[in-house]
Amino acid sequence: WEPVSRHAHVAYVALGSNVGDRYANIHHALRRLQEGGEVQVLGTSFLYETPAAYVTDQPAFLNAVIKVSTALQPLPLLDRLKAVEAGVGRRERSRWGPREVDLDVVLYDNLTFESPDRRLRVPH
């Protein structure tokens, strides 16, 4: 069973956390993402624990992927994800360093896209 999409666009968003209560961070991000009604979670993957990549001397990540419907275009969706990260308490560290929560647009409709400022590339 899958909820009926309320919005015109479908995207897949990756979530990860390796700082603090990883499960609570992801759960909090999911709740915050849906606030305001512009994003609706349609489905979630299982949670997977994976070792950190690139910078390996940090705790393992808890990861998931969600399917969402959204009224937002790709860059406003990315901005929304960044606001959720900040709301959950993400602190900026090194590029591949530890994260309270990390959200990335992985797919957006059937779009192939790279923003001029290179903040977003889809597929990710």
Side-chain angles (χ1 to χ4, degrees):
W1 177 85
E2 186 174 284
V4 175
S5 173
R6 291 185 297 207
H7 304 296
H9 304 286
V10 173
Y12 289 83
V13 175
L15 301 94
S17 175
N18 76 334
V19 173
D21 185 338
R22 301 172 305 166
Y23 175 81
N25 292 341
I26 289 173
H27 188 292
H28 190 191
L30 284 170
R31 281 198 337 265
R32 290 185 75 96
L33 183 60
Q34 294 186 96
E35 291 173 357
E38 294 176 316
V39 178
Q40 174 192 12
V41 174
L42 298 175
T44 62
S45 72
F46 291 105
L47 290 170
Y48 294 93
E49 185 173 69
T50 59
Y54 309 110
V55 177
T56 58
D57 62 339
Q58 59 181 316
F61 278 85
L62 197 57
N63 296 294
V65 174
I66 58 173
K67 179 181 182 181
V68 301
S69 69
T70 184
L72 301 172
Q73 294 295 313
L75 285 172
L77 177 59
L78 177 64
D79 292 339
R80 175 84 178 149
L81 298 182
K82 296 305 169 193
V84 167
E85 289 176 351
V88 173
R90 179 171 175 171
R91 293 187 308 133
E92 288 304 319
R93 297 179 177 88
S94 62
R95 178 173 166 95
W96 304 110
R99 296 173 208 105
E100 287 77 10
V101 69
D102 183 38
L103 291 91
D104 293 305
V105 179
V106 179
L107 295 170
Y108 185 97
D109 290 334
N110 292 322
L111 186 65
T112 299
F113 172 81
E114 184 167 351
S115 63
D117 60 5
R118 306 190 81 174
R119 287 188 317 132
L120 179 61
R121 179 187 224 171
V122 176
H124 180 69

